[in-house]
Amino acid sequence: MPLLVFEDTHKEHLSFLSDLSPDVVREFGRICLNFINKGTNPKMFQSAAQKLGVPADSVQHGVEGLMFLLTESSKLVLNDIDFQDSLLTLGYSEETRQVLFEIYQTHRKEIRQIMGGMAMESPHYHNLHWRLDVQLASRSLRHQVTPKVLLKFDLKDGEEKTSTMLETDPVNLAHMAKVLDEALNEMKSGYCRRIVRNIK
């Protein structure tokens, strides 16, 4: 299992926890779990910021970074060793790493259940069959080459299975692959992750 990969934004947000005592990190964990379960509450950011004597934005970013750490680790089902190794890349003290590990170990099943409950019920990908057809000639054109790709998608909706057939040419297929790849990369951005986390 690969380690969790942090973007620069996530590292910057999570670095806020480095200056906090273990007890305060524990409190951040409690706030974070509450947000994962019920959504964000700006008033809590303000209250925590006043207690710590720091800007509310710093508190919000710290909680968002911790939410990313816990939700992504739970989604990837990181084992104990991989989670702890991922924390090593953030430069935390041994005490902070131990507190974060305890939070993850205690709540990862709960977080996965919450994330599962947020998932939209819709048909999802099950399998793909494909075939390449090439027309070499016709009555009017004896020396043409027309490649086509036939795609059969098997979808599952609960226990029900359906199939959808698509036909395309290699140029359009390459374009679709490029668009899908760009969409996947966009989903890794901090902006999209915040939206997905807050959708109920």
Side-chain angles (χ1 to χ4, degrees):
M1 175 71 70
L3 301 182
L4 195 59
V5 177
F6 300 99
E7 295 178 5
D8 290 341
T9 305
H10 297 134
K11 288 180 180 178
E12 182 183 341
H13 291 176
L14 285 163
S15 67
F16 176 72
L17 302 177
S18 299
D19 301 324
L20 305 179
S21 69
D23 287 340
V24 176
V25 172
R26 229 177 243 108
E27 179 63 15
F28 264 72
R30 187 190 66 76
I31 294 171
C32 178
L33 292 165
N34 189 53
F35 285 177
I36 292 172
N37 196 16
K38 299 179 181 178
T40 57
N41 181 351
K43 289 181 181 178
M44 292 190 75
F45 293 139
Q46 201 68 42
S47 175
Q50 287 175 353
K51 288 179 183 176
L52 294 170
V54 297
D57 283 351
S58 298
V59 174
Q60 181 177 346
H61 291 157
V63 171
E64 287 175 351
L66 187 52
M67 285 172 68
F68 169 79
L69 172 67
L70 295 175
T71 54
E72 287 298 304
S73 299
S74 300
K75 185 166 70 176
L76 295 171
V77 198
L78 291 188
N79 61 37
D80 295 350
I81 294 173
D82 288 333
F83 181 81
Q84 290 176 318
D85 286 349
S86 296
L87 291 181
L88 286 173
T89 64
L90 298 170
Y92 289 143
S93 67
E94 169 113 18
E95 285 182 318
T96 299
R97 290 200 309 270
Q98 187 57 38
V99 170
L100 292 173
F101 174 63
E102 287 170 9
I103 294 170
Y104 173 66
Q105 199 175 39
T106 305
H107 297 284
R108 57 186 162 193
K109 288 184 180 177
E110 176 190 348
I111 293 170
R112 281 187 62 80
Q113 287 174 350
I114 293 168
M115 292 170 65
M118 292 170 64
M120 297 173 66
E121 293 296 328
S122 58
H124 60 273
Y125 169 84
H126 178 64
N127 203 357
L128 169 67
H129 307 275
W130 64 275
R131 186 178 77 206
L132 179 65
D133 284 349
V134 180
Q135 183 178 348
L136 297 176
S138 66
R139 289 183 181 180
S140 57
L141 296 171
R142 296 191 176 182
H143 300 291
Q144 68 171 354
V145 177
T146 309
K148 291 183 179 178
V149 181
L150 296 176
L151 303 167
K152 179 186 174 188
F153 289 94
D154 294 333
L155 307 175
K156 284 187 78 174
D157 189 358
E159 295 300 316
E160 186 180 343
K161 292 182 183 178
T162 58
S163 295
T164 300
M165 296 287 295
L166 297 174
E167 180 181 284
T168 186
D169 58 70
V171 174
N172 274 329
L173 186 61
H175 175 68
M176 285 190 285
K178 180 184 175 186
V179 171
L180 288 171
D181 191 48
E182 288 172 353
L184 286 171
N185 287 331
E186 180 69 18
M187 282 300 297
K188 295 176 184 175
S189 71
Y191 173 73
C192 284
R193 288 182 189 280
R194 283 196 295 274
I195 291 175
V196 170
R197 280 198 299 265
N198 292 318
I199 291 176
K200 287 286 184 180

